[in-house]
Amino acid sequence: MTKTLFIGLDGATFTVLDELTSDLPGVGVTMPFLKKFMEKGARAKLRSTPNPLTPPAWVSIMTGRSPGHHGIFDFIRAEENRGKIYFTLYDSRDIKTETIWSIASRQNQSAVALNFPITAPPRSINGSLVPGFVPWKHLRRNMVPPELYDRLKTLDDFNPKELAWDFDREKQALEDLGEEGTESWVAYHLPREGQWYRIAEFLLNEDNPDLMAVMFDGVDKIQHQAWAFLDPALLKKEPSAYEQRMRELCLKYFRELDTYIEGLVTQAGPDVQVFMASDHGFTSTTEVLRINTFLHQKGYLHWNETDDSEYSKRREDSNFANVDWDKTLAYCRTPSSNGITIRVAQEPGDPGIPPAEYESFRDGLIKDLESLVDEETGERIITDILKREDYFPGDYMDHAADLTLVLRDHGFVSIRNLEPVVMPRDVPAGTHHPDGVFLAGGKGIAEGVEIDRLDIIDVAPTLLYSMGLAVPEDFEGSVPTSFFSPEHLRFKPVKIKGQTLSVTDGDAEIEEISEDEKDKIMEQLKMLGYME
Amino acid sequence: MENVQHAASTDDIVSRVCSVLVDMTDDWDMDFEGEINRDTFLISDLAFESIDIVQLVVAIEGEFDKRGIPFEQLLMVDGRYVDDLSVGDIADFLSASL
């Protein structure tokens, strides 16, 4: 019997949800079910991870731990060894703390987890798991249990090609696609969400898991490309025909999403507690900061030499820094990291600064970054510069960038070798905002409660509490008791007890990656054209 | 005698690699209609893309229950990536590496 329904809405933000749950002239209420749900339930802004990004943020939701502890910081993981830099991809084996699926499973609770990132290769759970971010050709072999794929094939309209990530398409999230491309991009995500909904509906109905969790990621993707048609502040009073079509397409997506949410909540029944959360919010980015160009101008970074070969072009276009590794002292690895890595020599003679000079070097770098200002207003382009020991404490702090940058428009940096350093965008685009959403509804949830802000690490303890499980003592967040009615809390007090298992304790099959395997993955990435 | 054992071992590896590929490509809508065997090529016959090779490496490691097989020695020759790989290439490499 399902106790808890968790609906993930990647990138959902109150800026949009409040608009779409309002009765707008000529439009009406786009998300009528969510409107009722929000009115009857509890809500709060949800503060994301210091770099509000999908992998670290969803893993914090899944583990109740911050990135310094769970170990996931970006899509891309990089390693440096004796002057050689290797780029690879984060996967589930890199998560160093226990997930709520595992915590529930070992207490004889069943769980279904659909479309959450960094869940492949899958660990066994007491229930079903379909990972997100996996190409359709490999989805079947990455499901838990192995026979799940054959069950799903019995569904009407089941189409793995629609369901799974198309990497070529998804990497266009931050590209300028033009009018036709943007329209096609948005339209592409409509049937995908329907696929995930039908699977969630099927497993909820057939298996009645104690915890039913599904993530809809189209919200994030559409907002990246179509933010101008969703942010109320950017809507034009007299839109062109294209702009009208785009607005209607976006509204259609959210109308359909509303019916999916309604379908799942209705099917779960009145006794189930329902939670919805996003990994981060959204806002407008109005300029591009070419951070590696700035670091080059300041003498920290030296570009790699390129030529006209296909290889060089492909390397230059990749989302991995293309710098001279013998001379560069500080650089940004990936646009999504918004971080600067300082190269510290591991041995005398290695590239990088001597370890003893780290603090003074970093202080100088911070001053240089602070000096980057808007020439007209004097306003700093980089409003916050986060030292990793302050924002990513934990066993895996060393995997974080030395400095994480918060830009004045919350944008992601560019790592391209282009000038000028700061370039205004022709039209504002969507980017991640630190404040996502956290909603609750159903039996035992306080009605009409609004808390200003909760933390992303509060989601996991809330879900475990809702399932009737104790919150592990080593969780960093807490259950927002204001979300629950006083009667519910009296009848069912929050219990804090026990510890999470280390990942190897919970699943002996998941081993540390050996050095040889790391090398192997690097080679695989070379095959993909991701690195030199 | 040693050579005979080696040949048998390689045949077994060919068989297991073929099984992995048959399972992996089961629902791929490929034009390839023949039987996957030692002479089958990943890219020209099975229309593999780079991401599929990544997944194949993971699947082979699962099949042989061993991680850290130095696949870079198979994928790169003289600093350049190979254009294609046959099942036989993979089996010979595994036979020498396992």
Side-chain angles (χ1 to χ4, degrees), chain A residues 8-10 58 114-117 133 193 196 213-217:
Chain A
L9 301 170
D10 197 309
W58 278 116
L114 306 176
N115 198 28
F116 289 89
F133 300 75
E193 305 295 51
W196 285 109
V214 58
M215 200 270 269
F216 294 107
D217 65 281

Side-chain angles (χ1 to χ4, degrees), chain A residues 137-138 140 161 523 526, chain B residues 23 29 52 72 76 81:
Chain A
K137 286 176 171 179
H138 305 283
R140 172 173 51 84
K161 291 179 185 173
E523 293 304 326
K526 285 179 182 173
Chain B
D23 177 56
D29 307 329
D52 303 323
E72 67 275 12
M76 292 190 78
Y81 307 112

Side-chain angles (χ1 to χ4, degrees), chain A residues 193-305:
Chain A
E193 305 295 51
Q195 290 282 337
W196 285 109
Y197 168 66
R198 284 189 288 279
I199 292 172
E201 181 189 42
F202 170 70
L203 293 174
L204 180 60
N205 184 48
E206 293 271 315
D207 297 354
N208 292 307
D210 294 299
L211 171 61
M212 175 75 215
V214 58
M215 200 270 269
F216 294 107
D217 65 281
V219 182
D220 174 273
K221 305 301 175 300
I222 287 172
Q223 288 177 160
H224 268 296
Q225 280 291 348
W227 183 245
F229 314 103
L230 284 164
D231 183 349
L234 298 176
L235 294 175
K236 292 182 180 171
K237 286 183 181 170
E238 294 182 6
S240 67
Y242 162 72
E243 289 164 342
Q244 280 182 315
R245 284 202 311 277
M246 283 301 300
R247 171 72 173 167
E248 186 46 46
L249 200 53
C250 290
L251 296 183
K252 183 181 178 193
Y253 170 82
F254 280 96
R255 272 191 213 105
E256 289 185 3
L257 181 62
D258 193 60
T259 65
Y260 300 151
I261 294 171
E262 179 176 18
L264 293 175
V265 173
T266 304
Q267 189 183 327
D271 293 334
V272 170
Q273 288 182 339
V274 182
F275 301 90
M276 300 181 210
S278 61
D279 52 339
H280 52 74
F282 250 77
T283 188
S284 299
T285 170
T286 55
E287 62 193 8
V288 177
L289 170 59
R290 289 157 176 159
I291 190 65
N292 280 350
T293 301
F294 177 74
L295 293 172
H296 171 69
Q297 290 177 357
K298 291 291 180 183
Y300 294 103
L301 179 151
H302 294 263
W303 296 110
N304 198 14
E305 286 186 14

Side-chain angles (χ1 to χ4, degrees), chain A residues 164-184:
Chain A
W165 260 46
D166 178 335
F167 275 70
D168 286 336
R169 225 179 234 278
E170 298 300 348
K171 72 183 181 186
Q172 297 173 324
L174 302 177
E175 295 176 8
D176 181 359
L177 300 177
E179 291 190 356
E180 195 177 324
T182 305
E183 203 168 342
S184 164

